[in-house]
Amino acid sequence: RKEVEQDPGPFNVPEGATVAFNCTYSNSASQSFFWYRQDCRKEPKLLMSVYSSGNEDGRFTAQLNRASQYISLLIRDSKLSDSATYLCVVPFNQGGKLIFGQGTELSVKP
Amino acid sequence: ETGVTQSPTHLIKTRGQQVTLRCSSQSGHNTVSWYQQALGQGPQFIFQYYREEENGRGNFPPRFSGLQFPNYSSELNVNALELDDSALYLCASSPRASGGGSYNEQFFGPGTRLTVL
């Protein structure tokens, strides 16, 4: 089993749609989780952090289910500018290593 | 505040050659991590440097090596290049090394795109 797994997509949705991405992780001891956004041919940038059951920031909601070792990212009222790859990230306990999922590609169409 | 910078932006090498990639960390950050991102994949951790010493390594062979300098800038060296080394190499800096469950946000540079022919 991969340490962090995501549905690669692509997800093609119309503007205004609600879309959800899922991510599973294998290390039950993980305490913190992150969603990064990566635009085409650019570097990843932190979108949201998840330390407890969830986090909300405007149109974005991240939820954590520790029992199922599952993290989700919900985007409401999708904008064209949300088109990007969304990376689920789990820090390794030691050495500052970030473990990335393969990313989920989102394309928002007019 | 200057962000993370990397050089060069693009590089083309042939199999068997050696390459050196450079990274300048964000002001005030003393920790640098390197990642390899193949096309269509998420970044994979190569290693991290904290105060000029290696502080964690991923599943990469010894021909991947690094350095960190007193000003916290860093180099990634890859010897005996292989075709599969073609990727985007990302450098990330953070305020201090993480461990024991703690985490410091890592800020990524724009990357160096390496093509091995």
Side-chain angles (χ1 to χ4, degrees), chain A residues 9-103:
Chain A
F11 283 61
N12 296 304
V13 303
E15 267 187 295
T18 295
V19 61
F21 306 137
N22 301 322
C23 172
T24 57
Y25 60 95
S26 61
N27 184 359
S28 59
S30 297
Q31 296 295 313
S32 52
F33 308 88
F34 306 91
W35 285 98
Y36 273 71
R37 170 192 169 129
Q38 185 172 28
D39 292 299
C40 187
R41 305 182 76 83
K42 300 282 191 178
E43 71 273 22
K45 293 186 179 178
L46 181 65
L47 177 67
M48 294 188 75
S49 307
V50 187
Y51 295 103
S52 57
S53 60
N55 190 13
E56 185 171 331
D57 183 4
R59 298 182 294 109
F60 298 83
T61 301
Q63 291 193 315
L64 168 63
N65 183 324
R66 290 189 189 276
S68 302
Q69 293 180 213
Y70 167 99
I71 314 151
S72 65
L73 177 68
L74 184 76
I75 305 176
R76 291 180 296 276
D77 189 22
S78 299
K79 311 290 184 192
L80 296 177
S81 58
D82 294 334
S83 296
T85 295
Y86 292 83
L87 295 157
C88 176
V89 183
V90 180
F92 191 67
N93 284 339
Q94 298 173 0
K97 169 182 175 180
L98 294 181
I99 304 171
F100 286 81
Q102 75 175 103

Side-chain angles (χ1 to χ4, degrees), chain B residues 18-30:
Chain B
Q18 178 267 341
V19 68
T20 297
L21 310 182
R22 295 179 174 83
C23 171
S24 291
S25 60
Q26 187 166 316
S27 177
H29 290 184
N30 59 15

